Amino acid sequence: MNYSNIMEEIKSTRDYKETVVKSELLKEIISAGDTALENHGLDIVLFEDGEQTKQKLEGKAGYFGKFIGAPHYIAVLSDDGRKSKEDAAYIMEMMRFKAHKEGLGSCWITIPNTDEIKADLGIDIARSLCGFLAIGYRYAGIFKKDIQEKAFRQGAIEITYMDEWGNTPAWEDLEARGLDQVFYLTRFAPSWGNKQPWKFLILKNHVVLAVEKDSSTDTDLDTGIIKFYFEKACIDKGLSLQTAEESGEFIIPENYEIRVVYNI
Ligand SMILES: Cc1cc2nc3c(=O)[nH]c(=O)nc-3n(C[C@H](O)[C@H](O)[C@H](O)COP(=O)(O)O)c2cc1C
């Protein structure tokens, strides 16, 4: 898959055609998510009957209960630890990329993990409802164009610090480290409420991902998504990457926490 192109193109779709997506294609999309991580220990559930699902979730899921009507939905269930939630977001984003590649639109939908909602959806799985996705063909008919723009994103130099926290690099500094294109792409990651709650600290051969602590939102999902973008951007740009132990040598402010350290 050419991740770079999709990172630039993909945006949330909130208007769908009623056209049903073929079951085989939906299964391929789920398979792309399922195989994106080894031994992920997550459950992926497909809801083929979008209308029925919408009736059950209207007013209960989505920003301020504003549910998004779509022909199909996909749920990911995770264990409660933050790594499991990050993984859920990672594979969800992979499914969005596969859907985009196949000409489909998608949109994350915020969903509370309650027994009531799980029962409404007929989910009899102990794991927590973690991610929810609307999926289908984008509405772009003659009466209504698909005019929704990709939402604003911070620039590559706005999401990076170099050598020490608060030290904004020049574009040339990122170029000199061979990271300009990687961060140009990484910046496109979507997030809850488009908050983009992350910063990358580039220090020697390390890239440290720090995410804002915010009790009002579920930052584990945002963390999984930004990891997906950064890791896939590195692959596309030919950079090899290993995760490293957090050794305590990185100084970041109180309101952020280190979520992963990469060696590049
Ligand atoms: C975890 C998560 C939950 C989201 N929940 C909703 C939602 O409930 N309703 C909605 O319209 N968009 C939702 N979004 C989509 C974001 O608002 C959107 O990705 C972001 O504003 C960037 O816009 P773009 O995807 O069009 O570039 C969610 C995104 C994430 C990552």
Side-chain angles (χ1 to χ4, degrees), residues 6 9-30 32 46 48 70-74 92-107 133-140 146:
I6 299 178
E9 289 168 8
I10 196 169
K11 60 185 177 178
S12 299
T13 297
R14 297 185 175 89
D15 247 318
Y16 294 90
K17 289 183 186 170
E18 286 176 11
T19 314
V20 164
V21 180
K22 287 203 175 106
S23 286
E24 301 85 73
L25 181 50
L26 290 170
K27 285 185 187 123
E28 279 178 37
I29 289 166
I30 287 176
L46 169 67
E48 286 212 59
H72 314 287
Y73 299 92
I74 296 172
M92 192 67 116
E93 205 54 26
M94 183 56 135
M95 289 191 273
R96 293 191 64 223
F97 272 47
K98 172 70 176 164
H100 180 89
K101 183 166 177 270
E102 301 298 337
L104 299 174
S106 65
C107 187
L133 196 71
I135 189 162
Y137 290 101
R138 274 183 289 276
Y139 195 103
D146 177 22

Side-chain angles (χ1 to χ4, degrees), residues 10-14 61-64 66 68 89 93 96 106-111 130 132 148-153 188-195 218 221-222 225:
I10 196 169
K11 60 185 177 178
S12 299
T13 297
R14 297 185 175 89
Y63 293 150
F64 308 106
K66 195 172 181 310
I68 296 168
E93 205 54 26
R96 293 191 64 223
S106 65
C107 187
W108 279 87
I109 299 178
T110 305
I111 193 159
C130 183
F132 207 74
Q148 191 163 321
E149 294 290 326
K150 192 182 183 85
F152 165 81
R153 294 294 197 280
F188 288 121
S191 51
W192 187 92
N194 200 24
K195 284 191 161 188
D218 197 341
L221 295 180
D222 288 344
I225 296 170

Side-chain angles (χ1 to χ4, degrees), residues 177 179 202 205-207 230 234 239-242 262-264:
R177 295 295 310 265
L179 289 170
I202 305 159
N205 66 327
H206 306 296
V207 174
F230 179 71
C234 284
L239 290 182
S240 75
L241 205 61
Q242 292 93 38
Y262 296 101
N263 282 348
I264 47 167

Side-chain angles (χ1 to χ4, degrees), residues 43-103:
D43 292 295
I44 306 174
V45 182
L46 169 67
F47 299 91
E48 286 212 59
D49 186 339
E51 189 49 45
Q52 207 184 59
T53 310
K54 184 177 169 223
Q55 280 169 20
K56 288 174 179 160
L57 291 180
E58 200 102 63
K60 296 183 184 174
Y63 293 150
F64 308 106
K66 195 172 181 310
F67 197 65
I68 296 168
H72 314 287
Y73 299 92
I74 296 172
V76 177
L77 290 99
S78 72
D79 293 329
D80 285 335
R82 47 169 42 174
K83 172 74 170 64
S84 189
K85 287 187 184 173
E86 286 178 17
D87 287 352
Y90 193 100
I91 72 164
M92 192 67 116
E93 205 54 26
M94 183 56 135
M95 289 191 273
R96 293 191 64 223
F97 272 47
K98 172 70 176 164
H100 180 89
K101 183 166 177 270
E102 301 298 337

Side-chain angles (χ1 to χ4, degrees), residues 164-183:
E164 69 177 287
W165 192 270
N167 189 11
T168 300
W171 182 253
E172 293 72 26
D173 297 328
L174 291 179
E175 269 179 342
R177 295 295 310 265
L179 289 170
D180 51 321
Q181 290 307 311
V182 167
F183 283 111

Side-chain angles (χ1 to χ4, degrees), residues 223-264:
T223 302
I225 296 170
I226 191 74
K227 282 170 70 177
F228 176 87
Y229 272 65
F230 179 71
E231 291 173 16
K232 298 302 185 198
C234 284
I235 290 172
D236 267 13
K237 299 301 165 195
L239 290 182
S240 75
L241 205 61
Q242 292 93 38
T243 51
E245 287 298 309
E246 210 281 88
S247 56
E249 66 178 298
F250 310 109
I251 299 164
I252 63 162
E254 270 285 293
N255 56 327
Y256 279 80
E257 63 187 316
I258 293 175
R259 301 297 295 251
V260 61
V261 178
Y262 296 101
N263 282 348
I264 47 167

